[in-house]
Amino acid sequence: MSKIKLYFILLIAAITINSCNKDDNETIAPPLPYAEQYPKDIAIIEDYLKANYITVVNNPGGINDQDVTIAALDADHPTSIWDQKVYPLKSRNVELNGIVYKMYYLVLREGINESPCNVDGVFTAYKGEYLARETVAETSTTEITSTLFQEVKSPNTIFELYSTIRGWKEFFPQLKYGTSKSNSDGTVSYNDFGAGVMFLPSGLGYYNRTQEGIPAYSPLVFSVKLFAIQRTDYDSDGIPSFQEDLDGDGYMWVKSELQDGATTNLDDTDSDGTPDFLDFDDDGDNYGTRGEIKDANGDYYAFDKIPDCSGDQTNPNRLKRHLDKNCIKMNQ
Ligand SMILES: [Ca+2]
Ligand SMILES: [Ca+2]
Ligand SMILES: [Ca+2]
Ligand SMILES: [Ca+2]
């Protein structure tokens, strides 16, 4: 290749990169105030819940088991999601960006196995729709529309809740996974898995970020099936994240995400601002947790056999020694 040709190619590449940057800058508008957007979103969601009914497929072992259809009320289906009693409509309050968001959800079936914590991985089949309020031209009234952006499909990836939208982090710990069976044709059947539907204000979704097929500021409806979970260990200390959930509520947050006005993070042993699941030295004694959960032979204790400072391994209320900064570890 001649030098001139190469130079020309590099020049084109530089122009392309620069123009991409320019485009990116142009599409980034400052986010709308959360306090203005949230009331619109929650009104859309509540109107939607009152104007639509839900049907759920019950077909154990079938690929369509727990598939969800939501459609407008009619003479044959007069009971709204809001009013029906088959699947109690529940809600969680989520404090984020100065707003107390209300997240409605339905647990269609809880599942029979363990729940993921909010920083585990989930293997899920899901369907997604976004909601909008649109004006009907003839009557000048408004109606809520829902648009499918993800048809339900067999899962092929694990989503780490640590990096998903907030609504997923909040909802999945409410479900448990079920059982799985490999079939002779290479497929896998899932049974008794947890399934549910979450109704998310845009602030618990993508907010001002436009996603493929989803406009910015869209309230979202996800129906999900939880087939399997994957435990994580983000601080690589040998203790899975879900076992660093000290108050056992299924959720772990960094300080800025604490809920209900809490000023103390119950999942942060040494109160240094880094919760245990991200802290390689949970008790702040300058000895890494990983080294404190080994026995005299250098083998790791099973989690429920980690002793306290006296060596006790059975008292369920003992303070395990990696969480006790006054425990002298070098002699053990
Ligand atoms: Ca860990
Ligand atoms: Ca917790
Ligand atoms: Ca800490
Ligand atoms: Ca330590």
Side-chain angles (χ1 to χ4, degrees):
M1 189 182 293
S2 75
K3 272 190 181 168
I4 291 176
K5 232 181 184 177
L6 179 63
Y7 177 74
F8 188 67
I9 288 170
L10 290 176
L11 183 67
I12 297 286
I15 290 170
T16 309
I17 289 165
N18 280 334
S19 59
C20 283
N21 286 343
K22 187 162 168 282
D23 284 352
D24 284 351
N25 288 336
E26 280 175 356
T27 58
I28 297 174
L32 297 174
Y34 297 103
E36 284 178 22
Q37 186 61 37
Y38 172 60
K40 295 179 191 170
D41 288 359
I42 197 67
I44 288 175
I45 288 169
E46 291 183 349
D47 286 355
Y48 177 76
L49 292 170
K50 290 170 183 170
N52 290 274
Y53 70 96
I54 184 171
T55 51
V56 182
V57 174
N58 186 25
N59 179 21
I63 197 162
N64 63 347
D65 189 26
Q66 304 300 302
D67 273 5
V68 166
T69 303
I70 296 176
L73 297 177
D74 58 26
D76 294 331
H77 306 94
T79 309
S80 68
I81 300 171
W82 187 267
D83 288 330
Q84 56 82 40
K85 298 280 182 277
V86 181
Y87 311 107
L89 184 63
K90 298 180 179 177
S91 68
R92 286 177 67 78
N93 286 344
V94 181
E95 291 178 33
L96 184 66
N97 295 319
I99 304 293
V100 180
Y101 287 100
K102 191 168 205 177
M103 183 189 90
Y104 288 103
Y105 65 94
L106 302 168
V107 173
L108 306 176
R109 188 169 70 192
E110 190 181 14
I112 60 167
N113 229 306
E114 294 177 352
S115 294
C117 72
N118 68 322
V119 296
D120 279 333
V122 294
F123 192 60
T124 175
Y126 72 95
K127 180 171 114 173
E129 293 164 89
Y130 69 84
L131 306 182
R133 186 185 298 281
E134 293 185 355
T135 303
V136 182
E138 303 86 59
T139 59
S140 296
T141 56
T142 62
E143 65 175 21
I144 309 298
T145 59
S146 71
T147 306
L148 190 71
F149 61 81
Q150 173 65 62
E151 184 52 271
V152 65
K153 65 173 183 182
S154 298
N156 57 12
T157 187
I158 288 175
F159 293 94
E160 293 203 1
L161 295 178
Y162 191 44
S163 47
T164 61
I165 56 172
R166 181 63 178 265
W168 277 40
K169 297 177 207 281
E170 293 285 343
F171 182 60
F172 272 99
Q174 301 297 316
L175 300 177
K176 298 170 179 171
Y177 69 97
T179 61
S180 61
K181 181 169 73 75
S182 296
N183 303 316
S184 54
D185 63 0
T187 59
V188 179
S189 301
Y190 298 95
N191 260 303
D192 299 321
F193 50 85
V197 190
M198 61 186 117
F199 306 90
L200 307 179
S202 62
L204 301 180
Y206 300 110
Y207 204 59
N208 60 322
R209 288 172 289 150
T210 305
Q211 300 291 307
E212 196 179 337
I214 312 173
Y217 304 108
S218 294
L220 304 173
V221 180
F222 286 103
S223 53
V224 302
K225 310 176 191 184
L226 179 58
F227 289 150
I229 67 175
Q230 186 175 65
R231 298 301 192 182
T232 58
D233 180 12
Y234 280 105
D235 56 2
S236 301
D237 64 358
I239 302 180
S241 303
F242 80 103
Q243 289 176 321
E244 304 206 63
D245 174 20
L246 298 184
D247 66 350
D249 67 350
Y251 296 85
M252 283 159 281
W253 306 110
V254 298
K255 201 170 182 189
S256 62
E257 297 170 326
L258 294 183
Q259 300 292 294
D260 302 325
T263 52
T264 306
N265 190 344
L266 298 176
D267 301 321
D268 178 9
T269 296
D270 59 4
S271 301
D272 68 347
T274 303
D276 285 15
F277 84 101
L278 293 175
D279 196 339
F280 63 87
D281 175 14
D282 294 327
D283 56 1
D285 64 355
N286 295 321
Y287 293 105
T289 300
R290 182 170 268 282
E292 297 172 37
I293 57 172
K294 291 177 182 173
D295 64 19
N297 298 321
D299 296 324
Y300 288 104
Y301 290 108
F303 179 75
D304 55 5
K305 289 284 187 285
I306 298 173
D308 69 6
C309 206
S310 74
D312 181 88
Q313 290 183 285
T314 55
N315 180 349
N317 298 320
R318 72 191 183 281
L319 184 60
K320 290 175 180 168
R321 65 182 193 177
H322 68 288
L323 302 179
D324 182 356
K325 75 176 189 325
N326 295 317
C327 187
I328 307 300
K329 280 106 179 179
M330 292 306 282
N331 296 333
Q332 297 171 351

